[in-house]
Amino acid sequence: MIHYGADYNPEHWAEDVWDEDVKLMTEAGVTLVTLGVFSWAKVEPRPGEYDFGWVDTVMDKLAAAGIQVALATMTASPPPWLTHRHPEVLPVREDGTRLSPGSRQQFCPSSPVFREHAARLVEQLANRYGDHPALKIWHVGNEYGCHIRACYCDTSAEDFRSWLRERYGTLDALNAAWSTTFWSQGYSDWAEIQPPRVAPSFRNPAQQLDYQRFSSDASLACYRVEAEVLRRVTPDVPLTTNFVGLVQKALDWHAWEPHEDVVSLDSYPEPYDPRGHVEAAFGYDVVRSLKNGQPWMLLEHAPSAVNWRKHNGAKAPGVMRQGVLQAVARGADAAMFFQWRQSRGGAEKFHSAMVPHAGADTRVFAEARALGQDLAALADVAGTRVRSDVAFLHDWNSWWALELDAHPSADVTQLDAHLAHYAPFFDAGISCDVVRPDRPAGYKLVVVPNLYLLDAETAEGLRRYVEGGGHLVVSFFSGIVDSCDRAHLGGYPVAPLREALGVSVEEFWPLAPGTSVPLSPEWTGRLWSEAIELRGAEAVASFDGGDLAGSPAVTRHAYGAGVAWYLGTRLDPAGMRELVDRVAAEAGVRPVLPGLPAGVQAVRREAADRQFLFLLNHNTDAVAVDLGEPAPDLLTGSAPSARHTLPPRGVAVLRLH
């Protein structure tokens, strides 16, 4: 079963609405709802006084209708009484401003007071609902790190010092890691260390990097306080929490993944961006890859408009359906919306819902009901996986370090780099995983977009990967610093990677904003250029202008049984696609379906006994796709045909065997 549903907030409505909700859910094919995300003040109106009666009623009604529940721990925002009695739980910004209640997520992740009260509530929930027939999965917290990416209060400062003691052991080790001989920053006592708050000039980059690591770990520790209660009281009920898409910078998902049974994502791509589906696909590939391809949950998605952008228009007909089915194509076994019934008041009253303000007799609800039928038809898809021959390397530590200040160019950013490399693979119909830098094994081709922070040991793993027959593509400003943001010496990149690539770089020549440099052959370089010295590699393209005219821009190095490519600039989209086609062909990587028309996406999900092909037409015109062999469409029940016509924004799911 592909689960289908939404965030359900019955406490927003009078009890006489609840029966109508359950009736409409049944009509729409809803199988799972998230319940109670922001219900703490409702169930605990005063410290230690609990009112679960309304939750009991709703859980029972859902169970009677055969609808399961992802029950939230209700701790996403503390109630007013907690911040009134304990204002020290409120988070503090870098500039010392203490934030006020009245919104959400108004808590410091390191606060022992917050954690104590949260754990007490979770214990009550686990004991009360652990055996309830509606309970399917626990939804712990909500969107950690979304609004409070880091707290700079004194409690966080003390927690940071404890984290540093555990990481480094001694002040000598910390001083070495932070290069504190620079600008007279040497520490002689742990108490001298503070968070990287607002300072007169550039702050210590290693300190900033460690604070981002610490902040992710502090939120994880907050999550684990609740998770440990749930695992003790309800050991057989799985846990999840919702990451925030496209990809979330604040949290190291690789560190979080082992503590979740199922990985979940909230995804809100820009509906008016003609390439927004490409960004969404990348996020889905990231979250799918966290547990080695295990199916994941789309825990939030907008049926139509959202409320937080400057302009929040409705989704065109068919966009909601296509967006959800794209997530399913890329490995989701649950598709959920925020939210079920559109709120009448509050900050999100103009955020769309499955049941809009106008009620069930609306286009949005009709589309939602039809989508429920589509997902019911895809029951056999559940449990299948997406297989990929290409891996993109992604590391949160490198992302944090890459986007610190005082670098050659502030225009080099991580997600921009990923998407520039990912888009041509997407357009070519080639499936990709997104994995940790230390896990390239098993892939025919590995892509490294601007992996700035790379330690020598991991670089050695990449060298061995190429030597053993792998194909590697590395872009500029990769392998520059170690885990403490200290530059590797002897030329860039770090030595093992330099050996595999057969090049050495002495100087960076980033391009001015809005400028480009011609290349030979007829490609264009953007964003960056650099002085590359060939040390065994061959030049595939050269700079054809500027101070580096005639010097290598793109190189290829046959190394051991494999091949390593290096890009000393950001190729224009046409050049990237041309290069990707060549690199993929050399690596033996084939598209899911050759000869796809432009704007059509093909993804395969498979298991040992079944295989499905998803075709998604992102064009506003109908497109015909040649399949090569007939296959039935599960969504329409149409008879097998070797040529399938997709309507505008249409989706087909074909059973191959």
Side-chain angles (χ1 to χ4, degrees):
M1 173 189 293
I2 304 293
H3 276 292
Y4 180 51
D7 268 49
Y8 183 34
N9 299 290
E11 67 270 33
H12 295 180
W13 305 95
E15 189 169 345
D16 59 6
V17 178
W18 301 351
D19 288 330
E20 180 187 7
D21 285 335
V22 173
K23 177 179 176 294
L24 290 174
M25 287 178 188
T26 302
E27 182 182 331
V30 168
T31 63
L32 180 69
V33 297
T34 301
L35 183 67
V37 172
F38 297 107
S39 299
W40 190 346
K42 182 73 172 176
V43 301
E44 191 181 5
R46 285 163 293 279
E49 294 183 23
Y50 298 100
D51 177 12
F52 291 113
W54 68 273
V55 184
D56 295 345
T57 300
V58 172
M59 292 282 284
D60 291 345
K61 287 179 181 294
L62 293 169
I67 299 170
Q68 296 181 297
V69 174
L71 186 57
T73 57
M74 306 185 180
T75 56
S77 287
W81 59 257
L82 180 57
T83 55
H84 175 69
R85 289 167 174 77
H86 300 281
E88 70 274 15
V89 308
L90 292 168
V92 173
R93 289 178 172 166
E94 291 170 90
D95 64 1
T97 302
R98 187 174 291 277
L99 301 180
S100 298
S103 179
R104 64 179 188 175
Q105 284 194 0
Q106 61 272 20
F107 63 87
C108 164
S110 295
S111 169
V113 174
F114 173 79
R115 294 183 185 182
E116 176 187 348
H117 282 81
R120 187 177 66 185
L121 173 60
V122 172
E123 184 102 25
Q124 292 284 331
L125 288 164
N127 284 321
R128 191 174 189 94
Y129 299 110
D131 295 325
H132 197 284
L135 180 61
K136 173 71 174 177
I137 190 170
W138 288 111
H139 175 159
V140 183
N142 187 70
E143 295 185 337
Y144 286 96
C146 179
H147 304 298
I148 305 302
R149 301 178 181 181
C151 176
Y152 295 81
C153 71
D154 290 341
T155 299
S156 294
E158 184 55 45
D159 197 18
F160 182 44
R161 288 188 280 270
S162 297
W163 185 92
L164 291 171
R165 287 190 194 95
E166 184 174 348
R167 181 175 179 86
Y168 294 109
T170 67
L171 282 171
D172 286 345
L174 179 139
N175 281 315
W178 285 11
S179 303
T180 58
T181 53
F182 190 84
W183 280 359
S184 186
Q185 293 177 354
Y187 294 100
S188 59
D189 191 300
W190 292 102
E192 297 167 2
I193 301 172
Q194 300 295 330
R197 298 173 176 135
V198 174
S201 183
F202 297 122
R203 292 166 290 179
N204 186 310
Q207 181 186 14
Q208 291 184 76
L209 175 57
D210 268 346
Y211 207 73
Q212 297 206 59
R213 290 169 171 145
F214 156 75
S215 296
S216 175
D217 285 353
S219 288
L220 177 57
C222 206
Y223 163 90
R224 292 184 66 184
V225 165
E226 300 182 24
E228 287 165 7
V229 173
L230 297 173
R231 294 204 187 280
R232 171 170 51 81
V233 181
T234 59
D236 298 326
V237 181
L239 309 182
T240 192
T241 191
N242 44 341
F243 295 139
V244 183
L246 161 71
V247 183
Q248 186 177 13
K249 184 179 179 182
L251 305 182
D252 181 350
W253 293 358
H254 289 143
W256 281 63
E257 169 272 318
H259 304 285
E260 296 182 86
D261 299 304
V262 182
V263 179
S264 298
L265 182 70
D266 294 354
S267 177
Y268 292 96
E270 171 56 67
Y272 300 117
D273 182 353
R275 300 285 285 173
H277 60 280
V278 181
E279 296 187 14
F282 179 76
Y284 300 158
D285 290 349
V286 173
V287 77
R288 184 191 68 244
S289 302
L290 291 175
K291 284 190 175 290
N292 300 314
Q294 175 182 309
W296 53 280
M297 299 178 70
L298 177 63
L299 211 55
E300 285 189 26
H301 197 73
S304 189
V306 297
N307 68 296
W308 65 82
R309 296 186 174 108
K310 291 184 177 180
H311 302 92
N312 298 299
K315 289 183 177 179
V319 173
M320 171 179 71
R321 176 179 186 262
Q322 187 179 74
V324 166
L325 291 174
Q326 178 181 15
V328 174
R330 306 192 90 84
D333 271 5
M336 314 280 283
F337 288 114
F338 181 85
Q339 57 180 326
W340 165 253
R341 185 179 287 274
Q342 191 169 6
S343 302
R344 186 178 184 186
E348 293 182 309
K349 59 182 171 291
F350 293 116
H351 193 296
S352 60
M354 293 177 72
V355 181
H357 286 153
D361 188 18
T362 51
R363 175 186 71 86
V364 169
F365 185 74
E367 287 195 33
R369 181 175 53 219
L371 178 57
Q373 296 172 353
D374 287 336
L375 294 175
L378 302 183
D380 287 348
V381 173
T384 60
R385 298 192 176 202
V386 178
R387 310 291 180 185
S388 304
D389 290 328
V390 178
F392 274 62
L393 300 190
H394 174 72
D395 177 48
W396 270 267
N397 291 272
S398 183
W399 184 1
W400 295 329
L402 175 69
E403 296 183 4
L404 293 174
D405 43 19
H407 281 188
S409 173
D411 295 333
V412 181
T413 58
Q414 191 63 74
L415 289 183
D416 179 60
H418 278 315
L419 292 171
H421 293 74
Y422 178 83
F425 285 93
F426 180 94
D427 291 337
I430 295 173
S431 295
C432 303
D433 290 343
V434 184
V435 303
R436 296 165 56 123
D438 58 354
R439 297 181 182 177
Y443 294 96
K444 294 181 179 179
L445 174 62
V446 170
V447 182
V448 185
N450 306 117
L451 191 64
Y452 166 71
L453 185 154
L454 181 65
D455 60 57
E457 181 180 357
T458 306
E460 173 60 21
L462 294 176
R463 187 200 65 77
R464 290 196 302 268
Y465 165 78
V466 179
E467 186 178 46
H471 290 244
L472 183 71
V473 177
V474 178
S475 272
F476 60 87
F477 212 46
S478 294
I480 306 302
V481 300
D482 66 9
S483 62
C484 298
D485 200 40
R486 298 173 298 200
H488 294 295
L489 303 180
Y492 309 119
V494 59
L497 190 57
R498 194 164 67 240
E499 180 180 339
L501 293 169
V503 300
S504 182
V505 176
E506 287 188 18
E507 288 186 296
F508 306 129
W509 294 64
L511 303 180
T515 66
S516 61
V517 58
L519 306 181
S520 178
E522 295 181 355
W523 293 341
T524 300
R526 300 173 178 172
L527 194 69
W528 191 271
S529 64
E530 58 187 20
I532 300 173
E533 179 182 347
L534 300 178
R535 294 192 176 182
E538 59 176 311
V540 175
S542 300
F543 293 110
D544 198 23
D547 293 314
L548 297 176
S551 64
V554 179
T555 66
R556 180 185 183 276
H557 187 217
Y559 180 77
V563 176
W565 296 77
Y566 185 69
L567 282 64
T569 187
R570 174 78 52 79
L571 295 182
D572 63 283
M576 280 294 290
R577 176 61 192 274
E578 186 177 335
L579 182 67
V580 162
D581 287 346
R582 175 179 172 181
V583 169
E586 285 191 15
V589 173
R590 300 290 179 260
V592 171
L593 187 67
L596 277 177
V600 176
Q601 175 185 359
V603 188
R604 185 179 287 115
R605 285 188 65 166
E606 59 188 61
D609 60 342
R610 59 199 190 279
Q611 188 176 111
F612 305 91
L613 177 66
F614 286 72
L615 298 174
L616 299 97
N617 178 19
H618 296 284
N619 299 292
T620 55
D621 299 314
V623 175
V625 179
D626 292 318
L627 303 176
E629 59 182 78
D633 186 349
L634 300 182
L635 297 180
T636 63
S638 60
S641 172
R643 187 173 177 82
H644 202 95
T645 299
L646 296 169
R649 300 191 181 96
V651 182
V653 182
L654 309 176
R655 183 160 195 150
L656 302 183
H657 67 74

